[in-house]
Amino acid sequence: MSYFKVFFCLISLLLVGITGCSQKEEVTSINTVDVQKLKEHSGTYIGDNSNVLAIVRALPGGETFKEIDLHNKTPKIIYGTKEGSLSEDETLKYWFDGKNTLEKNFLYNAIYLTILVPNAQGYSFRVDNQKFSVSREEMEQFISDNIKTLPDSNKLFDKEKTQQFIDDNKEKINKTVKSVAIREQFFKNVPIVKE
């Protein structure tokens, strides 16, 4: 092999390494969620930690997921920075971008957790000093009023029925979450609080 080829191979490897290392991790947004991946976890029990974690990681902001507490059948999800992830500045910039990402993601994530984890009794999210908690009953009522009547919890444990519900309503879920008027009314009833 000639020196030129060896040199060319080394330069190519170096460029690939630099390019790969310099790309920032893209944080999932409502527009980039892989709904198929979420649907795979239909009918998850709150005690099935690995599936609950997989759902949280697949939802918007999942790359900023820091820790979860699954006690009392109410997932308490904390977003933030962790080693090997986005910096604190990048995390806060994602969540507090001036485009209501925090509100949209909290609502979107609560809707999907309500659909995918039928035996949860509530949902709690925290980013920085912003915290949001909602009961399952409040989410069921919200979904039934704004999207479509939610099947009861027993039916949501049937993977096929849950996946069909998601397929039939994923566009309506997105429109509902993006509606300023609906979001304002929702958070007026169930506010985000500063800790």
Side-chain angles (χ1 to χ4, degrees):
M1 195 186 265
S2 73
Y3 286 112
F4 178 74
K5 285 184 181 175
V6 170
F7 181 73
F8 181 76
C9 287
L10 286 173
I11 294 296
S12 296
L13 285 171
L14 185 64
L15 287 174
V16 168
I18 290 170
T19 305
C21 293
S22 67
Q23 288 179 340
K24 290 283 180 207
E25 184 175 8
E26 187 68 30
V27 182
T28 302
S29 69
I30 290 168
N31 295 330
T32 61
V33 166
D34 183 347
V35 177
Q36 281 303 118
K37 190 187 269 187
L38 283 174
K39 284 172 31 181
E40 291 170 14
H41 302 287
S42 297
T44 292
Y45 284 84
I46 195 74
D48 186 351
N49 295 0
S50 61
N51 270 336
V52 175
L53 286 173
I55 292 168
V56 170
R57 286 192 174 111
L59 287 167
E63 294 79 4
T64 66
F65 160 73
K66 189 174 177 182
E67 62 183 77
I68 189 168
D69 176 356
L70 295 173
H71 289 83
N72 303 324
K73 291 193 172 186
T74 300
K76 292 173 185 72
I77 301 156
I78 299 172
Y79 298 96
T81 55
K82 58 185 179 201
E83 200 171 312
S85 181
L86 299 168
S87 71
E88 185 172 350
D89 283 350
E90 291 166 327
T91 299
L92 294 177
K93 189 176 176 184
Y94 168 78
W95 283 97
F96 303 101
D97 63 355
K99 298 176 188 166
N100 300 308
T101 295
L102 180 84
E103 292 87 355
K104 290 175 189 171
N105 285 359
F106 280 2
L107 181 55
Y108 186 93
N109 293 358
I111 289 169
Y112 270 98
L113 283 166
T114 302
I115 295 167
L116 296 169
V117 189
N119 70 329
Q121 294 176 351
Y123 316 91
S124 177
F125 306 97
R126 185 164 63 94
V127 177
D128 198 33
N129 65 344
Q130 305 283 312
K131 185 178 176 188
F132 167 70
S133 296
V134 64
S135 71
R136 178 168 185 85
E137 292 77 26
E138 289 169 310
M139 286 310 303
E140 286 173 342
Q141 189 65 53
F142 175 81
I143 292 168
S144 295
D145 289 348
N146 294 283
I147 298 163
K148 186 178 180 185
T149 302
L150 189 68
D152 71 37
S153 296
N154 293 330
K155 288 186 180 146
L156 288 173
F157 280 114
D158 180 325
K159 276 186 177 285
E160 284 183 22
K161 286 182 180 164
T162 302
Q163 291 174 353
Q164 190 62 54
F165 182 85
I166 292 170
D167 285 339
D168 293 346
N169 297 291
K170 62 186 171 193
E171 295 307 317
K172 183 91 190 247
I173 292 169
N174 287 4
K175 283 181 185 169
T176 299
V177 169
K178 290 176 181 178
S179 164
V180 175
I182 292 173
R183 265 197 337 271
E184 282 179 358
Q185 185 60 47
F186 178 77
F187 286 111
K188 191 169 144 186
N189 296 332
V190 190
I192 295 173
V193 295
K194 287 191 177 187
E195 291 189 314

